């Protein structure tokens, strides 16, 4: 099952599910994250001071241990809370992503839109989109990508989802960004034609996105859906 930013649990929801020992561990972990945020703010006057890329505050060790103490089913949510509480800097999220497991990388990607990083974390999104791990691809096409990927990169992210069979429902703001995008429509039609020529089925998700690319009519409503290319007629040779 793929995790989305919307499926992350709140602190209140976690407290209702976790046992006493896990809740105590989470209390301590979040307190360490908050302390680090306050310390760095007081020391520099900014929440994102320049720091050594090799300096790891204690809460980052908690980040890695979240699954062991709170359960793997809660690890994404706990790690996301830690990142937000720590007001994690670019150096922190980069270190956690580069040194982390796939699960830890996913938690970073799911939380980027909740951090004050601007577009500086785009290299992490780009790295995840080069992977073939569908969990990372799904996490990479969330709200942060919707806000910061340029049109060319965003179109290729949509195609990546189709290539790897990640449901396009994972793509944040798909309706907004796809609508009226003639270049995306061309890319999707080309992809559908390639699949058809190879005797492979065209994903239903492709038809869904292709329909979204139709420009709005004069009344502001989307035009009728654009059909994916039909299978070529058989020849005498075939």
């Amino acid at each position: 099952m793929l995790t989305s930013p919307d499926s992350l649990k709140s602190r209140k929801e976690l407290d209702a599910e976790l046992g006493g020992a896990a809740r105590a561990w989470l209390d301590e972990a979040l307190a360490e994250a908050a302390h680090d945020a306050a310390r760095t703010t007081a020391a520099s006057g900014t929440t994102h001071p320049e720091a050594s890329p090799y300096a790891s505050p204690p809460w980052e060790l908690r980040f890695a241990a979240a699954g062991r103490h709170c359960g793997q089913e809660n690890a994404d949510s706990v790690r996301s809370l830690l990142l937000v509480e720590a007001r994690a800097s670019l150096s922190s999220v980069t270190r956690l992503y580069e040194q982390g497991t796939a699960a830890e990388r996913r938690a970073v990607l799911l939380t980027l839109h909740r951090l004050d990083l601007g577009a500086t974390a785009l290299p992490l999104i780009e790295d995840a989109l080069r992977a073939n791990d569908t969990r990372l691809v799904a996490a990479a096409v969330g709200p942060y990508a919707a806000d910061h990927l340029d049109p060319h990169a965003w179109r290729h992210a949509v195609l990546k989802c189709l290539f790897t069979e990640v449901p396009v429902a994972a793509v944040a703001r798909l309706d907004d960004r796809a609508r009226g995008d003639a270049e995306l429509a061309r890319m999707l039609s080309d992809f559908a034609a390639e699949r058809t020529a190879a005797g492979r089925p065209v994903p239903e998700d492709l038809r869904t996105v292709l329909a979204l690319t139709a420009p709005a009519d004069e009344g502001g409503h989307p035009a009728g859906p654009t059909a994916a290319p039909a299978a070529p007629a058989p020849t005498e040779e075939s």
Side-chain angles (χ1 to χ4, degrees), residues 85-134:
E85 193 69 31
R87 285 172 274 174
S89 65
L90 179 62
S91 61
S92 285
V93 297
T94 300
R95 179 167 54 245
L96 290 170
Y97 181 88
E98 292 180 345
Q99 298 178 4
T101 63
E104 291 162 26
R105 291 183 173 200
R106 181 179 66 243
V108 169
L109 296 169
L110 290 170
T111 313
L112 289 177
H113 67 291
R114 302 178 64 190
L115 304 173
D116 184 19
L117 298 173
T120 61
L122 272 177
L124 305 186
I125 297 293
E126 293 163 352
D127 179 82
L129 290 172
R130 288 192 293 268
N132 289 318
D133 187 327
T134 56

Side-chain angles (χ1 to χ4, degrees), residues 197 231-238:
T235 63
E236 293 182 1
E237 290 78 4
S238 62

Side-chain angles (χ1 to χ4, degrees), residues 63 72 75-76 79 100-108 135-136:
F63 183 91
Q72 294 301 329
D76 283 337
R79 288 171 177 144
T101 63
E104 291 162 26
R105 291 183 173 200
R106 181 179 66 243
V108 169
R135 297 167 301 172
L136 295 184

Side-chain angles (χ1 to χ4, degrees), residues 57-222:
W59 70 266
E60 291 190 17
L61 300 178
R62 302 272 194 173
F63 183 91
R68 293 197 302 274
H69 290 276
C70 298
Q72 294 301 329
E73 70 277 12
N74 296 314
D76 283 337
S77 300
V78 170
R79 288 171 177 144
S80 182
L81 287 175
L82 283 171
L83 290 168
V84 173
E85 193 69 31
R87 285 172 274 174
S89 65
L90 179 62
S91 61
S92 285
V93 297
T94 300
R95 179 167 54 245
L96 290 170
Y97 181 88
E98 292 180 345
Q99 298 178 4
T101 63
E104 291 162 26
R105 291 183 173 200
R106 181 179 66 243
V108 169
L109 296 169
L110 290 170
T111 313
L112 289 177
H113 67 291
R114 302 178 64 190
L115 304 173
D116 184 19
L117 298 173
T120 61
L122 272 177
L124 305 186
I125 297 293
E126 293 163 352
D127 179 82
L129 290 172
R130 288 192 293 268
N132 289 318
D133 187 327
T134 56
R135 297 167 301 172
L136 295 184
V137 174
V141 292
Y144 189 85
D147 289 341
H148 298 293
L149 278 181
D150 64 38
H152 177 78
W154 184 82
R155 293 179 191 119
H156 280 278
V158 173
L159 284 176
K160 179 74 174 190
C161 289
L162 295 172
F163 285 139
T164 57
E165 299 184 351
V166 169
V168 294
V171 182
R173 290 177 43 210
L174 177 63
D175 291 17
D176 292 339
R177 293 207 58 169
R179 182 149 293 122
D181 191 334
E183 177 61 15
L184 178 59
R186 182 195 66 76
M187 294 168 69
L188 292 170
S189 295
D190 288 349
F191 178 49
E194 291 172 5
R195 299 272 299 195
T196 300
R200 303 178 66 188
V202 175
E204 190 60 36
D205 269 357
L206 186 148
R207 303 178 193 277
T208 298
V209 181
L210 193 58
L212 291 174
T213 63
D217 61 23
E218 292 183 358
H221 302 97

